[in-house]
Amino acid sequence: MKCVNFKLLLLLFLAITSCSKDGDPVDPTDDTGGTPNPPPTTPTAIDLNAYANGSGVMMQAFYWDVEPRFGWWDLLSEKVEGWADAGVDRIWLPVASKGNSGGYSMGYDPSDYFDFGEYNQHGTVETRFGSREELENLIAKAHENDLEVIADIVLNHNSGGGLEYNPYREKETYTLFNEENGNASGMFNRNYEDFHPNSTSQSDAGNLFFAEQDVDHDVPYVQDWLWKKENSVAKYYKNVMGFDGWRFDYVKGFAPWVVKAWNDEVGGFSVGENYDGNAAVLEKWVEESGSAAFDFAAFYKMEEAFDRFQDLTYLERDMLRKTYPEKAVTFVANHDTEKDENQDNRISRVHKLQSYAYIMTHDGYPTVFYLDYEDEQFKAKIQQLIKIHNSIATGDVEVLYVDNDEYIMKRKGDVSNPGLILYISNSNGKKTRAVTSNWTNVTLMDYSGNSTYYPTSDGNGEVTIEAPANGFSIWSITK
């Protein structure tokens, strides 16, 4: 009987030590009864700057209805140096040209593509964000700090034109854009022939967004003014204003070939807003447009994993970053998800840092939302995550373990970069788990700063790591 009991106890002990548990971690190399043996001194962190991997992150440099009105460009000019120091390599600006709403416009009701705050129309000279001179100063300041500047481009629809009789609709429509009607610059004047329906085509291949001011990209005149002519929108923005790349608004409203034609003409970084959580839809669009896309599939899987269902297995579902990591622009929040107290399409504040930890450690190109970065409760944590992303978030992605409240992922690094292990927990208590790392006989530390535990891997790379309650940790080697 004693022999049987001893075997049962041994099996029970092995089962317990091989599983995750709440509470303090157990060092598998320790033989003192489960109390970890800390190193005699606190390990020394590696210098993350020494592992710079050439990556950066993009800052979405606005939110819906930014304040102060008429002072936004100047405010951003004061911030770009700090953003560059933090590891940001691109800033995405709001739509820079004059909209129908004048001084209140966020730019998504475009009227005059060439009015950057210098013509008196729609009740204002400056745009909501400031004057043309202030915009040019911002772009110059960004370039001085090696930041690319991304222009938000709205090609689907126009607003603010004058009334004219439209024979294709047999009524008057607001489709007349000239010096007296919403286009004071006199460049790219338009009339009903430039909008659907007309003598060229009836509609886009995609959905109509503004039924009466839906731009027809099949019209040669429209193509000339948008991207072909030497003073087209694309070439003027790049060669005169100094923009380096493009964020295309509402690409569901027109065919992917439009984005491809634009990029073939002027080049530069580009990303499309294809507002769809279906990864297959995003994959098809990047294949046809040749452009990167915001990974709405990843966004919704994070929202489901952390908030809606509180089940981290949703992080195993399809995302653009899993099939086209080089074309996936990941994000946690943007101007649409955060406006008007929109609760159905946002990641809750309590789970934002876990979500940033996810996008900053996985493949894809991360975007940081202005309001999140400038939040003093988040800022230092996001800055550290950017530093981690730009250094040791390297190599193939391998999910080591996932269940409803644990997610552990390894970036394998390379011959000169150690990589990392991310551990996210949705549990109300601290979690621990033994995993197989790429590191043998080395002491690890959590570079997120959320844990002060210093485990040591064994000769096979086995190591027990921990994650704080409803939090995350990011592990890598020490000196």
Side-chain angles (χ1 to χ4, degrees):
M1 290 295 291
K2 290 182 179 179
C3 180
V4 173
N5 287 339
F6 174 76
K7 289 180 178 180
L8 288 174
L9 288 173
L10 179 61
L11 288 172
L12 179 61
F13 173 77
L14 291 174
I16 291 173
T17 56
S18 66
C19 298
S20 167
K21 72 178 187 69
D22 296 331
D24 294 331
V26 176
D27 189 334
T29 66
D30 174 50
D31 61 358
T32 63
T35 302
N37 287 326
T41 58
T42 301
T44 302
I46 58 174
D47 179 7
L48 294 182
N49 293 324
Y51 292 93
N53 56 24
S55 300
V57 304
M58 181 163 67
M59 176 69 70
Q60 179 177 357
F62 64 99
Y63 56 93
W64 197 259
D65 287 345
V66 298
E67 297 289 349
R69 288 194 306 125
F70 310 121
W72 194 248
W73 299 144
D74 284 343
L75 185 149
L76 295 186
S77 292
E78 298 172 0
K79 294 183 178 294
V80 292
E81 185 175 357
W83 290 346
D85 290 342
V88 173
D89 64 351
R90 293 186 176 101
I91 57 172
W92 159 25
L93 298 186
V95 182
S97 58
K98 190 72 62 68
N100 182 37
S101 303
Y104 293 92
S105 173
M106 285 298 295
Y108 295 100
D109 52 350
S111 180
D112 189 335
Y113 286 96
F114 295 90
D115 180 2
F116 298 97
E118 58 193 299
Y119 297 98
N120 190 355
Q121 57 183 333
H122 300 305
T124 181
V125 174
E126 294 188 350
T127 68
R128 182 186 190 106
F129 314 111
S131 68
R132 173 173 177 151
E133 181 182 3
E134 291 163 349
L135 172 60
E136 291 173 327
N137 289 340
L138 168 59
I139 295 172
K141 183 75 176 290
H143 288 164
E144 289 170 10
N145 287 276
D146 296 322
L147 293 177
E148 289 192 356
V149 183
I150 306 306
D152 203 318
I153 304 294
V154 185
L155 300 180
N156 181 71
H157 54 277
N158 290 170
S159 303
L163 273 173
E164 62 178 347
Y165 181 74
N166 187 333
Y168 300 99
R169 293 189 174 273
E170 298 182 341
K171 65 176 184 178
E172 289 189 326
T173 56
Y174 290 95
T175 47
L176 180 62
F177 291 82
N178 56 26
E179 290 86 337
E180 293 76 36
N181 296 277
N183 200 55
S185 69
M187 301 174 73
F188 192 21
N189 284 337
R190 287 144 278 162
N191 62 33
Y192 58 77
E193 283 287 0
D194 303 312
F195 301 93
H196 295 117
N198 54 43
S199 60
T200 302
S201 58
Q202 292 297 302
S203 67
D204 281 307
N207 299 323
L208 286 175
F209 185 57
F210 277 23
E212 296 182 357
Q213 295 91 27
D214 188 72
V215 179
D216 186 354
H217 305 95
D218 292 317
V219 176
Y221 175 82
V222 171
Q223 295 178 16
D224 285 343
W225 270 108
L226 286 181
W227 65 82
K228 288 185 176 180
K229 290 164 58 81
E230 285 307 306
N231 59 344
S232 64
V233 174
K235 292 177 182 175
Y236 192 92
Y237 279 42
K238 179 180 180 180
N239 300 328
V240 178
M241 298 303 296
F243 285 104
D244 304 288
W246 327 101
R247 180 268 185 185
F248 293 101
D249 180 66
Y250 193 72
V251 299
K252 280 181 174 291
F254 50 92
W257 70 262
V258 174
V259 169
K260 187 176 189 308
W262 176 296
N263 287 334
D264 286 347
E265 194 72 34
V266 295
F269 170 84
S270 76
V271 57
E273 184 212 26
N274 195 326
Y275 209 131
D276 200 305
N278 186 332
V281 171
L282 302 177
E283 292 164 8
K284 185 174 186 293
W285 188 83
V286 301
E287 289 168 355
E288 294 179 356
S289 69
S291 171
F294 285 109
D295 196 346
F296 279 92
F299 169 77
Y300 280 112
K301 293 310 164 214
M302 288 188 290
E303 190 276 332
E304 291 167 347
F306 294 122
D307 287 329
R308 193 178 311 184
F309 304 120
Q310 297 183 7
D311 181 353
L312 297 184
T313 63
Y314 277 84
L315 298 177
E316 284 282 85
R317 305 291 179 90
D318 291 341
M319 303 175 183
L320 180 63
R321 52 150 286 269
K322 295 182 179 182
T323 50
Y324 288 102
E326 74 284 359
K327 296 290 189 182
V329 179
T330 52
F331 66 100
V332 173
N334 66 29
H335 59 294
D336 285 322
T337 67
E338 296 284 314
K339 77 177 179 183
D340 301 330
E341 299 301 320
N342 177 5
Q343 299 300 322
D344 294 329
N345 294 286
R346 69 164 58 182
I347 294 170
S348 67
R349 178 180 175 82
V350 295
H351 290 130
K352 276 194 173 180
L353 287 177
Q354 288 169 300
S355 300
Y356 274 111
Y358 182 87
I359 68 171
M360 292 292 181
T361 54
H362 286 73
D363 42 16
Y365 178 51
T367 305
V368 176
F369 183 49
Y370 176 91
L371 288 181
D372 291 341
Y373 185 88
E374 294 298 326
D375 186 323
E376 288 304 317
Q377 294 186 35
F378 289 165
K379 192 169 189 176
K381 288 289 187 182
I382 292 177
Q383 287 174 337
Q384 182 65 12
L385 288 170
I386 294 173
K387 186 176 291 188
I388 290 169
H389 171 267
N390 292 356
S391 56
I392 54 175
T394 297
D396 293 340
V397 173
E398 179 184 355
V399 177
L400 301 179
Y401 183 83
V402 61
D403 64 17
N404 66 317
D405 64 356
E406 288 180 81
Y407 177 88
I408 305 176
M409 179 277 298
K410 176 169 66 177
R411 293 299 295 271
K412 295 184 179 180
D414 55 37
V415 292
S416 60
N417 193 306
L420 57 79
I421 295 178
L422 168 71
Y423 192 171
I424 298 177
S425 170
N426 262 2
S427 172
N428 290 328
K430 182 166 61 179
K431 301 290 286 189
T432 67
R433 184 165 289 277
V435 296
T436 301
S437 73
N438 291 338
W439 316 302
T440 58
N441 301 313
V442 63
T443 300
L444 309 183
M445 70 177 293
D446 169 22
Y447 281 84
S448 75
N450 293 329
S451 171
T452 56
Y453 172 54
Y454 301 102
T456 298
S457 61
D458 67 15
N460 296 316
E462 292 289 324
V463 63
T464 297
I465 56 176
E466 70 175 22
N470 292 304
F472 65 91
S473 52
I474 301 172
W475 303 89
S476 194
I477 63 172
T478 58
K479 290 184 179 178

